[in-house]
Amino acid sequence: MKLWGGRFTKETNQLVHNFNASLSFDQKFYKQDIRGSIAHVTMLAKQGIITEADKEAIIGGLNSILADIENGTLEFTNEHEDIHSFVEAHLIDRIGEPGKKLHTGRSRNDQVALDMKLYVRDEVVELNDLLKTLLESLIKVMEENTETYMPGFTHLQKAQPVTLAHHFGAYFEMFKRDRSRLTDIYNRMNYSPIGSGALAGTTYPLDREYTASLLDFAGATLNSMDSVSDRDYIIELMSALSTIMMHLSRFCEEIIIWNSNEYRFVNIDDSYSTGSSIMPQKKNPDIAELVRGKTGRVYGALTSILTTMKGLPLAYNKDMQEDKEFTFDAIDTTKGCIALFTGMIDTMTFNKENMESSAKNGFTNATDAADYLVNHGVAFRDAHGIVGQLVLFCESKGISLDDMTLDEFKAISPVFEEDIYEAISLKTCVEKRLTLGGPGKEMMDKVIAINKEYLANN
Ligand code: ARG
C-alpha cells in the first residue's frame, strides 16, 4: 500500500519503487517508529484532536504489530516503501478506521527525523557503556602493572623507560575523551523534532513539549525547517566513532607489534588468534588487524554523510534517506570492535621480563645519564655530548650503559662516580618521573585513583 497514491494515475515503475524504497534498511528502527507513534497519538488524544477510544485502538494495534515483528510472525515485505508505510498499512489492516488517524498532524519527514534520533540516541548509550567496560579492563591492567617497566617509544625508536600502566593509561585518557564526546552528542541532539510536520509545522494544536517529554527528550526543537533537515548529530556521531576507531587501530597496531616474534611483549590468547592454512607454526593477530582494518569503513561513513548533506537546500530532500545504511554499519562495526578488543585485552598475557630487558637494552636511560651530569654541575648541552660518546662506546662493544665499568665512565667524563649506576637504573629512571601525568609509581597510583573515581561516577 502507498501512503500517497491519491494524486497519481499510473503505477510506480517497479525499478523506481525499488530504488526509492528504504524498508530493507529502515526496518532496523521499527521499535523507535512504533514508540514515536504511540507518543504522537497519546499527545493527539490529550489535545482532543482524536478521541480516547481511537487512541486506545491505535496503541493496541501498534503494540500487536510490535509483538508480531518480535515473535517473527510479521515479516517485512517489499511492497511497502519504508518502515513508516509498513507500520501504518498494517495498523489500518488490523484496526480499520482509527488506524487512518495515526498520521494526523505528522509527516514522514518529522517522523523519520524522530525515529533516527531515537535510534541513534539509544546506540550512543550502548556505545558509551561498551567503552566503559573497556576502560574497566584497562584500569585493571594498569593497577597490576605500575612497576612493569618497558621502553617508551618516539619514532618507534626506544626513547625513555615507562611502565605498562603508563602506556595503557594513555589509551585510558583517549577512550575517556571518546565517552565525553558521546555524552556531548547525546545532550546536544536530545531535542524532539516530532510535530514539525513536513517542514512548516501544522495547524493542529499539537503539544510538542508533551510528546517530547513522553519520549524522554530534554525538550522540543525550535525551528520546524531545521527539525526535518538536521542531520548534524549523525555527522558528529560518525566523527566520534571515527575517533574511537582511530584510537582502537593505534592500540591494535601496537599490540600487533608487541605480539610479533621480534618483540614478544605480549601473547594474544589462542581464543583471539587464528592460524594459517599453510604454515603450521603461525598464530596470527587477526582480530587486532581486523579492528585496525575496519577503521576505514567507519571513516567512509563519515565522508559519506558529510558529502550527502553538502549543498542540500532546506528543508527535507530525499538525499537524506542515504543517512541510514552507512550510519547503521558504522555503529554496528564500532560496537563489535570495542567488544572484541575488550575481550582480547582481558585474555592477553604480558611478558614482563621481555619488556624490562628491552627497556634496558635500548639506552632508554641516556637522558637520565645526562641529567646525572647536569646535577653535578655540567651544562645540559655538554652533558648531552658526553652521553652521546658513552652510547657510541657501548654500541661499539654491544653493551648497555649499565654494563660499563666506572673506569670506562670516567675515561669519558671524570664527573661520573659510583652512584651513576643507581642514577641510571630502570627503576630510578621511572620512579623519579613524578611530574603530574608521569610514569613514576607514586604519580601513577594517584592518576589511577582519579580514574577509578571517574569510573564510579560516570
Ligand atoms: N524513507 C524516508 C527517509 O528515510 C522517509 C521520509 C520520506 N519523506 C518523503 N517526503 N518522501 O528519509
Side-chain angles (χ1 to χ4, degrees):
M1 187 201 89
K2 284 208 168 49
L3 299 179
W4 40 262
R7 60 103 61 224
F8 287 77
T9 52
K10 277 196 202 165
E11 277 301 306
T12 317
N13 173 301
Q14 187 59 45
L15 288 177
V16 171
H17 172 81
N18 296 347
F19 187 67
N20 196 44
S22 53
L23 182 63
S24 64
F25 48 90
D26 62 19
Q27 58 180 255
K28 207 167 166 81
F29 48 57
Y30 68 86
K31 238 185 247 163
Q32 287 80 5
D33 190 78
I34 290 173
R35 184 176 175 210
S37 289
I38 291 175
H40 179 66
V41 294
T42 305
M43 180 277 294
L44 290 180
K46 178 181 92 78
Q47 297 300 96
I49 301 167
I50 62 170
T51 64
E52 280 295 318
D54 282 345
K55 176 192 95 176
E56 292 305 328
I58 293 172
I59 292 178
L62 288 170
N63 280 327
S64 78
I65 291 172
L66 179 64
D68 288 351
I69 292 173
E70 304 210 310
N71 68 29
T73 50
L74 181 56
E75 278 174 27
F76 297 106
T77 45
N78 283 340
E79 74 266 26
H80 303 285
E81 182 181 328
D82 51 28
I83 186 64
H84 327 297
S85 320
F86 174 89
V87 171
E88 191 176 327
H90 281 282
L91 182 68
I92 294 168
D93 217 41
R94 289 181 181 206
I95 67 166
E97 282 306 307
K100 297 181 184 170
K101 298 180 180 167
L102 167 65
H103 211 53
T104 313
R106 180 174 84 169
S107 155
R108 277 185 298 163
N109 297 351
D110 58 344
Q111 190 181 355
V112 77
L114 172 69
D115 292 2
M116 192 65 181
K117 261 196 180 176
L118 288 174
Y119 183 86
V120 166
R121 198 179 64 170
D122 290 347
E123 295 293 316
V124 165
V125 172
E126 278 193 35
L127 280 155
N128 210 329
D129 290 347
L130 281 166
L131 282 178
K132 182 167 186 176
T133 311
L134 171 57
L135 288 179
E136 282 161 355
S137 294
L138 296 184
I139 203 114
K140 196 164 161 284
V141 175
M142 287 162 68
E143 283 186 287
E144 289 164 4
N145 290 285
T146 52
E147 286 172 297
T148 304
Y149 303 119
M150 64 178 288
F153 298 83
T154 62
H155 313 271
L156 208 52
Q157 307 272 334
K158 292 179 193 175
Q160 291 173 345
V162 294
T163 64
L164 183 59
H166 193 240
H167 200 119
F168 267 48
Y171 286 100
F172 191 99
E173 298 302 322
M174 294 181 226
F175 294 121
K176 200 165 72 174
R177 285 196 297 275
D178 287 329
R179 291 189 77 209
S180 104
R181 259 184 283 275
L182 292 175
T183 306
D184 286 350
I185 293 170
Y186 186 103
N187 291 333
R188 196 158 31 249
M189 73 179 281
N190 198 21
Y191 292 87
S192 168
I194 192 73
S196 296
L199 78 163
T202 98
T203 55
Y204 298 100
L206 305 186
D207 184 347
R208 291 192 54 221
E209 292 285 354
Y210 178 67
T211 321
S213 74
L214 292 176
L215 296 167
D216 299 321
F217 282 105
T221 53
L222 294 181
N223 182 291
S224 58
M225 292 178 85
D226 176 53
S227 305
V228 293
S229 60
D230 167 30
R231 299 293 183 272
D232 290 4
Y233 64 97
I234 298 178
I235 293 172
E236 287 189 43
L237 180 62
M238 292 305 101
S239 166
L241 297 190
S242 294
T243 309
I244 293 170
M245 291 302 295
M246 179 267 288
H247 292 153
L248 284 175
S249 83
R250 292 181 72 179
F251 211 161
C252 282
E253 169 74 7
E254 299 208 287
I255 288 169
I256 291 163
I257 293 172
W258 293 352
N259 185 64
S260 68
N261 292 322
E262 284 68 21
Y263 276 73
R264 287 274 160 250
F265 282 7
V266 299
N267 291 317
I268 299 177
D269 193 67
D270 274 9
S271 59
Y272 281 83
S273 312
T274 55
S276 156
S277 59
I278 174 170
M279 298 166 283
Q281 84 283 13
K282 292 280 287 237
K283 195 178 123 182
N284 295 326
D286 286 32
I287 300 310
E289 290 171 32
L290 256 182
V291 170
R292 188 178 59 182
K294 284 181 188 290
T295 305
R297 276 169 92 123
V298 177
Y299 288 5
L302 172 62
T303 310
S304 169
I305 183 70
L306 279 170
T307 312
T308 296
M309 294 307 293
K310 176 185 176 297
L312 285 191
L314 291 178
Y316 178 83
N317 298 269
K318 188 77 174 198
D319 313 45
M320 289 175 182
Q321 182 166 288
E322 287 297 311
D323 65 355
K324 296 179 190 62
E325 283 169 285
F326 285 115
T327 299
F328 296 155
D329 183 78
I331 291 171
D332 292 345
T333 300
T334 308
K335 276 164 61 180
C337 287
I338 300 170
L340 275 160
F341 185 85
T342 304
M344 184 174 72
I345 293 286
D346 287 342
T347 52
M348 198 162 79
T349 55
F350 301 96
N351 305 328
K352 302 183 185 183
E353 303 77 48
N354 288 358
M355 290 182 176
E356 187 162 336
S357 72
S358 169
K360 272 198 180 129
N361 294 328
F363 300 109
T364 57
N365 49 3
T367 314
D368 297 84
D371 290 345
Y372 173 92
L373 292 171
V374 170
N375 288 332
H376 290 77
V378 182
F380 181 77
R381 193 48 57 211
D382 293 333
H384 189 284
I386 293 167
V387 177
Q389 288 179 48
L390 296 181
V391 169
L392 212 57
F393 173 79
C394 286
E395 278 190 328
S396 74
K397 301 192 80 177
I399 59 172
S400 60
L401 291 178
D402 320 58
D403 301 328
M404 288 175 65
T405 65
L406 188 56
D407 285 343
E408 287 167 339
F409 271 114
K410 279 191 172 295
I412 293 175
S413 168
V415 179
F416 287 115
E417 295 297 343
E418 191 60 39
D419 59 351
I420 179 62
Y421 295 104
E422 169 66 20
I424 61 170
S425 83
L426 214 47
K427 193 169 166 62
T428 313
C429 293
V430 174
E431 299 315 340
K432 278 195 157 173
R433 290 185 147 72
L434 291 171
T435 31
L436 178 61
K441 179 170 167 52
E442 221 176 287
M443 177 48 68
M444 203 63 230
D445 284 343
K446 276 186 197 153
V447 169
I448 288 173
I450 291 169
N451 280 330
K452 286 181 83 170
E453 180 87 13
Y454 155 82
L455 283 175
N457 297 319
N458 288 276

